[in-house]
């Protein structure tokens, strides 16, 4: 009964005309951004951060969250029609979505991705409604040692479980933590690591850092890859959007399995929508009696990953809002947006800011319904957006990014910081160093340091305080296991390859 009362209050907030308007703006912009390959929700949210400073915090988070889950809807369109994923989470949709388009079933593929995305997102919203308040109440019993242990585990897991090299992810975490301690020490008030630069007294701007690493870096890297050729797009008619009964029967079990996998991946630190979609596709292929048909244009190959990535996006808000620990880079930026507005994320947010929390939850329903209404009737209009020349689009984006960074503190220095991190981010993309762990380290680093020092102060310097409770002991063990795995996995692969080369060389010489 309490949940129904809270939901009623949440819908009273979400259905206010300004919140509906900005929810519509967010999901529409997210859909468009998802359509355009290479931009991504993270870059867009970073660009929009300066605008939200003049908005109500609830309205601002509703809009930014709408961009995030709206991009998952739009990203599938480019994957199906062009074989180019709009977002990394939609990459696996190319495997069966584009073959369906080449077989003349592009409309059916687009309709199924929209429907399964709605179902996956709706399921995770229900999980969020019932799970988040209980996690928040449980987390109220946490002390400094518990917060330190959980934050460390989340940071290590986010870097070791993400795509690419775990060692590179850990290295970026360390760099992010070092960047996070620039400025004033929260305990002593002493300036540190600012190298005499007055503008660094308050530390680096999270907006300049995020917009440089993700906005400017994405623009530069995509301009390097962009050939200048306009995309060739086939026309999609309304009549072609109707799936058959067999399509619905085949995709329903896949959708259910995909949303369960996606919901779990969203809650786990470091997994996220990309890993969720690939895991769902692999599980679906393994469960199918005809795995050889995958990759030729089967509906199961698009239903499972699309349900998974949208379920993952919605469930990622559970640890972010209940514990104040972001699971991926987008959640880290949203966490930063809350902090900028003076709202402390964590268990107190759910209890002390019920208007924001339940209004945000209710807005997810509103946003998903808007997306369902937008993507099916207006798919032909959205497809035409792919004809926008990229060179003109990126120049305009870079211009607005610079304006946005400047307006935060009216400081030209932040623009140079952003451009500097943009160049660094571009080289990181070329060298395959992940930027997301760096941002997570930058945000969680000060929190880890503050809680570690507080826990040691309360325990009078006893380091056993980080293992003397079930929660701290469990998180510490999981952190150690993650670290050992991140170091052992590449070492084991190297040893295995060396053994294979040695066996091949012995075999070629005729020895048994």
């Amino acid at each position: 009964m309490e949940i129904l009362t809270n939901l009623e209050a949440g819908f009273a907030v979400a259905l206010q005309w300004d919140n509906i308007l900005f929810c519509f703006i967010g999901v529409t912009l997210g859909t468009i951004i998802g359509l355009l390959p290479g931009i991504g929700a993270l870059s867009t949210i970073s660009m929009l951060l300066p605008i939200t400073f003049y908005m109500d915090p609830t309205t601002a988070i509703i809009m930014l969250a709408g961009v995030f889950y709206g991009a998952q809807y739009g990203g599938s369109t480019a994957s199906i029609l062009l074989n180019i994923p709009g977002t990394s989470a939609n990459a696996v949709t190319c495997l069966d979505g584009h073959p369906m388009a080449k077989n003349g079933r592009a409309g059916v593929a687009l309709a199924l991705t929209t429907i399964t995305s709605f179902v996956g997102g709706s399921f995770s919203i229900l999980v969020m409604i019932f799970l988040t308040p209980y996690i928040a109440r449980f987390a109220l019993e946490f002390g400094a040692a518990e917060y330190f242990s959980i934050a460390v585990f989340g940071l290590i897991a986010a870097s070791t479980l993400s795509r690419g090299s775990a060692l590179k992810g850990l290295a970026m975490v360390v760099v992010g933590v070092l960047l996070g301690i620039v400025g004033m020490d929260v305990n002593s008030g002493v300036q540190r690591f600012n190298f005499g630069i007055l503008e660094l007294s308050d530390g680096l701007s999270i907006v300049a850092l995020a917009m440089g690493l993700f906005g400017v870096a994405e623009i530069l890297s995509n301009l390097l890859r962009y050939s200048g050729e306009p995309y060739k797009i086939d026309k999609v008619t309304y009549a072609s959007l109707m799936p058959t009964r067999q399509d619905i029967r085949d995709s329903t079990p896949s959708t259910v399995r995909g949303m369960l996998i996606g919901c779990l991946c969203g809650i786990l630190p470091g997994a996220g929508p990309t890993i969720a979609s690939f895991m769902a596709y692999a599980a679906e292929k393994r469960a199918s009696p005809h795995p050889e048909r995958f990759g030729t244009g089967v509906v199961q190959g698009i239903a499972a990953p699309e349900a998974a990535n949208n379920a993952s996006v919605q469930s990622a808000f559970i640890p972010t809002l209940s514990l104040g620990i972001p699971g991926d880079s987008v959640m880290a930026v949203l966490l930063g947006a809350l902090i900028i507005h003076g709202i402390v994320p964590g268990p107190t947010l759910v209890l002390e800011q019920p208007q924001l929390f339940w209004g945000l939850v209710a807005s997810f329903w509103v946003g998903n319904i808007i997306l369902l209404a937008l993507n099916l009737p207006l798919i032909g209009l959205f497809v035409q957006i792919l004809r926008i020349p990229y060179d003109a689009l990126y120049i305009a984006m870079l211009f607005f990014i610079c304006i946005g960074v400047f307006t935060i503190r009216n400081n030209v220095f932040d623009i140079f910081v952003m451009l500097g991190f943009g160049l660094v981010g571009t080289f990181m993309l070329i060298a395959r160093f992940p930027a997301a762990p760096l941002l997570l380290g930058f945000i969680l680093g000060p929190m880890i340091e503050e809680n570690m020092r507080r826990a040691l102060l309360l325990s009078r310097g006893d380091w056993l305080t980080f293992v003397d409770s079930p929660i701290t002991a469990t998180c510490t063990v999981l952190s150690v296991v993650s670290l050992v795995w991140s170091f052992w996995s590449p070492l084991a692969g190297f040893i295995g390859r060396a053994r294979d080369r040695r066996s091949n060389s012995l075999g070629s010489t005729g020895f048994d």
Side-chain angles (χ1 to χ4, degrees):
M1 187 62 68
E2 181 184 359
I3 290 178
L4 293 177
T5 304
N6 290 329
L7 271 179
E8 183 180 357
F11 275 107
V13 174
L15 294 178
Q16 294 175 5
W17 71 269
D18 53 342
N19 289 333
I20 293 178
L21 173 63
F22 282 99
C23 181
F24 176 82
I25 292 173
V27 298
T28 304
L29 186 59
T31 303
I32 295 172
I33 292 302
L35 277 166
L36 298 171
I39 299 179
L42 183 56
S43 306
T44 308
I45 292 173
S46 301
M47 295 178 214
L48 292 176
L49 271 181
I51 300 175
T52 64
F53 297 160
Y54 310 99
M55 299 167 59
D56 178 78
T58 303
T59 305
I61 298 302
I62 285 174
M63 182 184 72
L64 295 178
V67 174
F68 188 22
Y69 58 83
Q72 310 306 315
Y73 279 77
S76 59
T77 302
S79 299
I80 292 169
L81 297 180
L82 303 175
N83 202 29
I84 300 173
T87 67
S88 58
N90 300 111
V92 72
T93 308
C94 296
L95 299 178
D96 281 280
H98 192 61
M100 284 187 69
K102 291 196 293 186
N103 294 337
R105 306 195 71 208
V108 174
L110 292 170
L112 284 175
T113 56
T114 302
I115 295 170
T116 55
S117 296
F118 176 80
V119 173
S122 299
F123 174 76
S124 281
I125 296 172
L126 288 174
V127 174
M128 182 180 176
I129 289 171
F130 288 100
L131 193 59
T132 305
Y134 293 105
I135 294 177
R137 289 192 184 96
F138 176 67
L140 286 174
E141 306 297 326
F142 289 0
E146 283 79 10
Y147 269 113
F148 168 80
S149 302
I150 292 174
V152 168
F153 169 63
L155 200 56
I156 292 175
S159 59
T160 56
L161 296 179
S162 57
R163 295 179 302 152
S165 170
L167 295 180
K168 289 182 178 180
L170 287 172
M172 290 298 98
V173 164
V174 173
V175 174
V177 171
L178 292 175
L179 292 174
I181 63 177
V182 173
M184 185 181 294
D185 183 358
V186 294
N187 291 287
S188 64
V190 175
Q191 293 289 332
R192 55 185 185 180
F193 304 111
N194 62 353
F195 303 101
I197 302 174
L198 182 62
E199 288 83 358
L200 292 178
S201 299
D202 292 331
L204 291 165
S205 168
I206 182 178
V207 179
L209 182 72
M211 294 174 92
L213 285 177
F214 297 99
V216 177
E218 286 291 336
I219 289 173
L220 294 178
S221 61
N222 280 286
L223 283 176
L224 291 174
R225 294 194 301 262
Y226 180 52
S227 63
E229 295 288 332
Y231 292 121
K232 297 179 181 180
I233 306 158
D234 296 329
K235 187 176 181 181
V236 179
T237 62
Y238 293 118
S240 65
L241 294 173
M242 186 63 65
T244 65
R245 291 184 178 179
Q246 186 62 43
D247 291 332
I248 296 175
R249 281 195 295 266
D250 291 341
S251 61
T252 298
S254 304
T255 303
V256 173
R257 286 189 287 265
M259 70 185 187
L260 291 173
I261 293 173
C263 186
L264 180 62
C265 287
I267 297 174
L268 293 175
T274 302
I275 291 178
S277 60
F278 277 92
M279 286 182 62
Y281 187 86
E284 200 59 35
K285 189 175 181 179
R286 191 176 297 113
S288 173
H290 302 287
E292 71 280 356
R293 295 175 54 193
F294 279 74
T296 62
V298 294
V299 294
Q300 296 92 330
I302 61 173
E306 286 300 315
N309 65 45
N310 281 270
S312 175
V313 165
Q314 304 286 358
S315 62
F317 284 89
I318 295 175
T320 304
L321 296 179
S322 61
L323 299 175
I325 298 175
D328 59 19
S329 53
V330 179
M331 288 293 105
V333 174
L334 291 176
L335 198 69
L338 288 172
I339 295 172
I340 290 171
H341 280 279
I343 297 172
V344 180
T348 56
L349 183 145
V350 180
L351 302 177
E352 296 179 2
Q353 300 278 348
Q355 179 182 11
L356 187 149
F357 174 74
W358 291 105
L360 180 63
V361 171
S363 75
F364 290 161
W365 289 110
V366 176
N368 275 273
I369 292 173
I370 292 174
L371 284 166
L372 191 65
L374 281 176
N375 278 267
L376 289 178
L378 301 180
I379 188 65
L381 176 62
F382 283 133
V383 165
Q384 300 307 312
I385 295 173
L386 291 168
R387 302 183 187 275
I388 297 177
Y390 261 36
D391 45 5
L393 180 68
Y394 283 141
I395 291 173
M397 288 172 58
L398 188 59
F399 173 74
F400 286 113
I401 285 176
C402 292
I403 292 178
V405 170
F406 176 78
T407 56
I408 296 172
R409 299 192 293 189
N410 293 325
N411 195 339
V412 179
F413 179 78
D414 287 341
I415 296 180
F416 289 106
V417 171
M418 176 203 68
L419 294 176
F421 277 110
L423 294 175
V424 172
T426 304
F427 286 114
M428 287 170 58
L429 285 172
I430 296 172
R432 298 184 182 276
F433 279 89
L438 190 153
L439 183 61
L440 289 174
F442 179 78
I443 291 179
L444 289 180
M447 172 186 171
I448 291 172
E449 180 195 11
E450 182 180 355
N451 283 285
M452 182 189 73
R453 294 170 70 173
R454 185 179 301 158
L456 290 174
L457 184 65
L458 293 173
S459 64
R460 299 186 178 183
D462 185 6
W463 288 89
L464 292 178
T465 187
F466 298 115
V467 292
D468 64 357
S469 73
I471 295 175
T472 56
T474 301
C475 290
T476 302
V477 170
L478 291 175
S479 299
V480 171
V481 169
S482 299
L483 279 174
V484 171
W485 178 84
S486 66
F487 283 100
W488 171 250
S489 182
L491 181 61
F494 175 78
I495 294 174
R497 289 191 296 270
R499 187 184 297 115
D500 291 340
R501 286 195 297 268
R502 184 171 180 272
S503 299
N504 292 335
S505 62
L506 289 175
S508 62
T509 57
F511 292 101
D512 293 331

